Amino acid sequence: MSSASSPLRMVRGACGHDCPDTCSWVVEVRDGTAVKLSGDPTHPFTRGTLCAKVNHYLERVYHPDRVLYPLKREGRKGEGHFVRVTWDEALADIGARLQAVAADSGAEAILPYSSAGTQGLIQMKSLDRRLFGSMGCTRLERNICGAVAAAGLSATIGTGTGIDPEQVVHSRFIVLWGTNTIVTNLHFWPLVREAQQRGAKVVVVDPIRTRTAEAADWHLPIKPASDAALALAMMHVMVRDDLVDREYVARHAIGFDALVTRVRDYSPERVAHVVGLPAGEIERFARDYATTQPSLLRPLIGIEHHRNGAMLFRTLGCLAVLSGSWKHRGGGLARSTHALQFAALDMDRVLMPEVYQPDVRQLNMRDIGKDLCDATLTPPVRALFVYGSNPMVSMPNQQRIREGLQREDLFTVVHDLFVTDTARYADYVLPATSQIEHLDLSPAWGHLYLALNPPANPPRGEALCNTEVFRRLAAALGRTEPWLFESEETMLRAALASGHPWLEGITYERLWEEGYVRLNCPEDWRPFAEGGFATPSGKAELYSESLLEGGHDPLPWAGDIRTGDGLQLITGKSLHFLNSGYSNQERHRRRAGELLVEIHPDDARARSVETGTAVRVWNSRGEVRAVCSVSNRVRPGVAWMPFGGLTDAGGAKRSVNVLTAEEPTDWGGGSGLYDAFVEIAPVGQDAPAVNR
Ligand SMILES: Nc1nc2c(c(=O)[nH]1)N[C@H]1C(S)=C(S)[C@@H](COP(=O)(O)OP(=O)(O)OC[C@H]3O[C@@H](n4cnc5c(=O)[nH]c(N)nc54)[C@H](O)[C@@H]3O)O[C@H]1N2
Ligand SMILES: Nc1nc2c(c(=O)[nH]1)N[C@H]1C(S)=C(S)[C@@H](COP(=O)(O)OP(=O)(O)OC[C@H]3O[C@@H](n4cnc5c(=O)[nH]c(N)nc54)[C@H](O)[C@@H]3O)O[C@H]1N2
Ligand SMILES: [Mo]
């Protein structure tokens, strides 16, 4: 090592990926280059370990395929041929094109499209919302992740969140309900293990024997989408055997008598074939759950991707109320903490909803393919501005999205770090900064720490962060209002100055000093020990008048469990990809290996396929090639494939969203991604040899 090189600088920051953990990290920088990035061992929740992806984050930052300059399309959409242009040229043209669309068809013909590619506070949403909102562009319903869970739970308990996840160490009966903790929420697992070592029982409810299920004390391999039926059967047992916390329910809930009548229909014997579990096992699960206090339900996101997703969450809410577990430290239900973080921060000041044009049309992000192809939409979508999202891979019905993006009369801009599958169809690709190249605040959705992420390094090439792109775009559009040009620091200070007690003493300066700070949530915080639910009635609503008004059953029920021909395809998150991210990187592709479809031995036999057989996986929407893996990790009737991976760019046609449809959930505006049905046959064989 040369002695002339400047000293090593250590910069504390935090991961910005769409993941509950929001790991704190330390970046080591020498001569303007980040040379090492490692977990910050002092962080009480993430404890210095990083995941299989972020361990190699610097490879992503310095990847040869990073987009370093603005690119303009040459050749046909989808071919991926671009030429370098300057930011000024790009923004002048983009500005002029957006203005022309707005003048011609109205600003609603412009669709801004983003998700949580970075989930930092201001890079995810701030100046973009102000700019597009004040122009009157179509408003995107960003309901692909978490909105259904929140809507379903809210119907019962008035919120989509619950207790502080760190309190799990005090639980004695932990149900990881449709969440693959070890893969998707790694840093929660050591706390679960700590509880387990103190005598807690860990149960996993999942149709797949995931890594998490394998590490649990008890795995209930439920049939997909039947969780509400299981929860109702548990309530049946609790009512029948007098295991309901009657005092808690009498004081803090409404609709108990009606619920008692409802759960009569859900005896374990009657429900057994619906949920695919023996009645005796349901009985035992119900009794153990009710009698081992504190008991904690831990769902995250996965189960909301069914058409009855909101109802699945609503019934879990009811279960926690009947058990009275909210009274106990470590009891109740623990889900995303985003609502708590965002309630503490002054988000109105950041988002400025008061400057938005009223009554503009809303389009759901799930429907992007359908909407882009819909010539009858008034106005049709004529310009699309994508940032922090890769809808070609992550949204349902990929063929239709491709068809929409291929439209010659659609003007598309994509701001990203890489030429993603979506970006290949763009007229302009704009280079985005990585997390170590921009300033942000990272509110976690898996815990209650707030972290500051200062830039450790200048951006590579001409990459710009989201906020800077929207400032420059506002200028290109001839806008001059000062609130379109606020600095990152001004917005972050404003967000922190909410006056919320959980932010008292948590200043911008302190965050620079300490890196991360825990919100001032009381140590032993039991949000609903004394009721206080934020529902219309102020009580937990086992019977919901608001649902009735919305045209739903006011009482919990099994929900519309989707059935179909063939195997039900579950496409969950995978270890080596972060949604579609990392799938362009050799290391992660190699580790993920070939695209597998896992099915049960009975289903394999019926289709004359075995482990290693190259198969087609298809339905009426399209087809994906995969390699079959026969295993009893998967229950009969279910096929498992990992979500993520490349399509065009890798030439591998891997995206499982070829097979999913834009099917809405019962309420909450989400997507029934996991209610796809497929057939499987060896490559070269037209029809499966199945006896139905
Ligand atoms: N490694 C990695 N981590 C990630 C991500 C990633 O892509 N990779 N993505 C991040 C994001 S955006 C999110 S939203 C979270 C999601 O975190 P999770 O909610 O934990 O993830 P999912 O894989 O969507 O679903 C979890 C489990 O639900 C199961 N499941 C499916 N249908 C049913 C059902 O009907 N009933 C029951 N009981 N279980 C069912 C699936 O088999 C799966 O194992 O993970 C985050 N963390
Ligand atoms: N079949 C199936 N489909 C699914 C799911 C599933 O489980 N199964 N899960 C669903 C869920 S829960 C989610 S959250 C969605 C995720 O869907 P998306 O939000 O589309 O997620 P990603 O594919 O990770 O795309 C995020 C993009 O943002 C880019 N990015 C990162 N940081 C920045 C930045 O600072 N600025 C800009 N401009 N770009 C940045 C990344 O490079 C990446 O290309 O997918 C959904 N789709
Ligand atoms: Mo997500």
Side-chain angles (χ1 to χ4, degrees):
M1 192 173 296
S2 131
S3 55
S5 65
S6 55
L8 209 55
R9 267 193 317 123
M10 311 280 261
V11 185
R12 302 169 94 166
C15 182
H17 286 323
D18 186 0
C19 164
D21 292 19
T22 309
C23 294
S24 276
W25 66 33
V26 180
V27 191
E28 297 177 31
V29 185
R30 192 192 294 279
D31 294 330
T33 302
V35 292
K36 190 173 170 201
L37 183 150
S38 44
D40 181 347
T42 68
H43 193 281
F45 194 92
T46 61
R47 305 182 186 187
T49 54
L50 298 173
C51 67
K53 301 160 292 295
V54 177
N55 261 323
H56 308 282
Y57 190 75
L58 292 183
E59 288 180 7
R60 194 164 167 79
V61 173
Y62 293 107
H63 198 281
D65 293 344
R66 267 277 305 267
V67 183
L68 299 180
Y69 309 98
L71 303 173
K72 184 177 179 176
R73 177 167 63 89
E74 242 191 10
R76 296 212 332 274
K77 292 192 176 195
E79 277 179 355
H81 295 309
F82 297 96
V83 287
R84 180 177 168 182
V85 291
T86 66
W87 269 104
D88 285 347
E89 278 170 68
L91 285 170
D93 194 24
I94 294 167
R97 297 286 294 264
L98 296 185
Q99 272 167 333
V101 167
D104 221 43
S105 310
E108 282 182 334
I110 303 168
L111 177 64
Y113 196 101
S114 73
S115 184
T118 171
Q119 57 164 20
L121 179 63
I122 51 173
Q123 301 302 341
M124 178 166 73
K125 47 180 178 182
S126 60
L127 299 180
D128 57 321
R129 303 299 207 268
R130 298 181 190 181
L131 178 63
F132 292 128
S134 61
M135 287 168 73
C137 300
T138 290
R139 205 167 292 166
L140 187 70
E141 288 176 339
R142 295 173 170 88
N143 288 10
I144 200 71
C145 179
V148 180
L153 266 181
S154 292
T156 306
I157 62 168
T159 175
T161 184
I163 67 164
D164 171 3
E166 280 187 281
Q167 297 296 315
V168 68
V169 295
H170 301 288
S171 310
R172 300 218 44 238
F173 193 84
I174 301 162
V175 189
L176 302 171
W177 201 310
T179 176
N180 189 3
T181 309
I182 294 177
V183 169
T184 62
N185 184 194
L186 181 65
H187 299 85
F188 185 60
W189 184 248
L191 301 177
V192 172
R193 290 281 295 160
E194 196 177 321
Q196 202 180 27
Q197 276 147 20
R198 292 189 196 181
K201 187 163 209 167
V202 180
V203 189
V204 167
V205 183
D206 197 309
I208 318 291
R209 199 173 71 236
T210 59
R211 284 177 183 229
T212 313
E214 253 157 32
D217 298 306
W218 188 1
H219 173 213
L220 293 156
I222 192 174
K223 274 193 194 170
S226 69
D227 305 75
L230 176 59
L232 285 155
M234 292 168 76
M235 291 190 253
H236 174 103
V237 173
M238 288 163 73
V239 168
R240 187 197 64 200
D241 296 353
D242 200 18
L243 301 175
V244 172
D245 186 334
R246 292 218 168 232
E247 199 210 321
Y248 184 85
V249 169
R251 289 180 56 204
H252 304 305
I254 56 167
F256 181 64
D257 293 342
L259 181 74
V260 167
T261 312
R262 173 57 57 90
V263 301
R264 261 186 216 134
D265 298 339
Y266 289 88
S267 68
E269 294 71 28
R270 287 187 65 180
V271 163
H273 79 279
V274 179
V275 301
L277 300 168
E281 193 163 28
I282 302 174
E283 293 264 351
R284 189 153 59 89
F285 183 37
R287 272 198 298 273
D288 287 1
Y289 167 71
T291 57
T292 320
Q293 294 299 339
S295 64
L296 182 72
L297 301 181
R298 168 63 173 189
L300 199 58
I301 302 283
I303 49 175
E304 77 166 40
H305 298 315
H306 289 287
R307 294 218 309 184
N308 58 347
M311 184 53 75
L312 303 187
F313 278 92
R314 163 152 168 70
T315 48
L316 296 191
C318 295
L319 202 50
V321 170
L322 259 55
S323 70
S325 53
W326 291 109
K327 292 192 307 200
H328 310 289
R329 185 168 192 185
L333 186 146
R335 222 191 61 78
S336 167
T337 53
H338 245 176
L340 300 168
Q341 296 260 10
F342 284 119
L345 294 157
D346 190 347
M347 289 313 290
D348 277 353
R349 174 63 184 76
V350 173
L351 301 172
M352 295 188 65
E354 69 278 13
V355 304
Y356 305 170
Q357 299 281 338
D359 306 322
V360 299
R361 141 173 102 183
Q362 303 200 20
L363 294 176
N364 192 301
M365 66 190 309
R366 159 199 78 218
D367 295 330
I368 178 172
K370 194 160 77 186
D371 289 339
L372 289 180
C373 293
D374 185 351
T376 68
L377 264 189
T378 3
V381 176
R382 294 188 49 204
L384 178 71
F385 198 113
V386 182
Y387 52 106
S389 183
N390 184 11
M392 261 289 281
V393 179
S394 56
M395 294 301 131
N397 207 346
Q398 187 182 69
Q399 308 53 243
R400 198 128 67 158
I401 301 175
R402 187 194 312 275
E403 197 185 317
L405 289 174
Q406 266 166 341
R407 267 177 44 201
E408 280 306 327
D409 61 337
L410 178 74
F411 177 65
T412 303
V413 180
V414 175
H415 180 223
D416 205 300
L417 288 82
F418 294 96
V419 179
T420 60
D421 286 325
T422 308
R424 290 169 74 87
Y425 292 82
D427 295 285
Y428 283 98
V429 183
L430 305 175
T433 42
S434 73
Q435 183 74 358
I436 66 162
E437 298 161 347
H438 60 227
L439 172 64
D440 213 337
L441 198 58
S442 295
W445 53 280
H447 53 77
L448 291 177
Y449 297 81
L450 189 60
L452 187 87
N453 179 70
N457 240 12
R460 281 193 66 200
E462 293 179 2
L464 294 180
C465 63
N466 294 9
T467 41
E468 179 59 16
V469 168
F470 293 110
R471 281 189 290 261
R472 293 197 191 188
L473 181 60
L477 288 162
R479 301 285 296 270
T480 54
E481 300 90 324
W483 41 263
L484 290 172
F485 299 90
E486 266 184 358
S487 70
E488 286 75 23
E489 180 176 337
T490 305
M491 290 190 280
L492 292 181
R493 283 184 183 279
L496 290 167
S498 64
H500 192 285
W502 285 16
L503 282 176
E504 202 187 312
I506 303 180
T507 59
Y508 187 67
E509 285 73 18
R510 182 166 161 209
L511 282 162
W512 271 91
E513 188 74 22
E514 298 176 22
Y516 56 83
V517 180
R518 186 174 190 276
L519 297 179
N520 300 320
C521 167
E523 251 274 289
D524 179 11
W525 182 61
R526 306 181 200 182
F528 307 123
E530 290 299 328
F533 294 99
T535 54
S537 64
K539 306 246 180 176
E541 300 193 341
L542 305 172
Y543 178 97
S544 164
E545 203 65 53
S546 341
L547 280 183
L548 183 64
E549 282 161 19
H552 300 281
D553 193 323
L555 285 167
W557 66 296
D560 180 14
I561 300 176
R562 184 74 196 282
T563 54
D565 286 341
L567 304 172
Q568 179 155 8
L569 179 69
I570 308 284
T571 51
K573 313 294 188 284
S574 62
L575 189 64
H576 297 289
F577 303 138
L578 194 280
N579 299 329
S580 75
Y582 293 87
S583 51
N584 57 328
Q585 294 171 237
E586 185 49 37
R587 175 195 295 277
H588 302 276
R589 289 168 70 84
R590 199 177 53 240
R591 286 190 178 174
E594 290 174 303
L595 179 64
L596 294 183
V597 55
E598 273 188 80
I599 58 173
H600 188 270
D602 294 349
D603 293 321
R605 218 169 296 121
R607 288 164 179 77
S608 311
V609 292
E610 48 194 53
T611 293
T613 309
V615 291
R616 308 163 49 215
V617 184
W618 82 91
N619 57 23
S620 60
R621 284 174 292 282
E623 174 180 319
V624 172
R625 297 284 170 97
V627 174
C628 192
S629 165
V630 181
S631 108
N632 54 19
R633 257 179 30 100
V634 182
R635 59 169 298 135
V638 170
W640 195 87
M641 291 178 88
F643 162 57
L646 279 189
T647 53
D648 299 0
K653 289 235 173 209
R654 290 177 63 125
S655 177
V656 292
N657 279 322
V658 163
L659 302 163
T660 56
E662 306 98 326
E663 293 184 293
T665 53
D666 39 4
W667 72 92
S671 179
L673 293 164
Y674 296 172
D675 283 344
F677 290 82
V678 294
E679 256 319 334
I680 292 178
V683 169
Q685 195 170 305
D686 285 341
V690 204
N691 298 322
R692 269 206 203 101

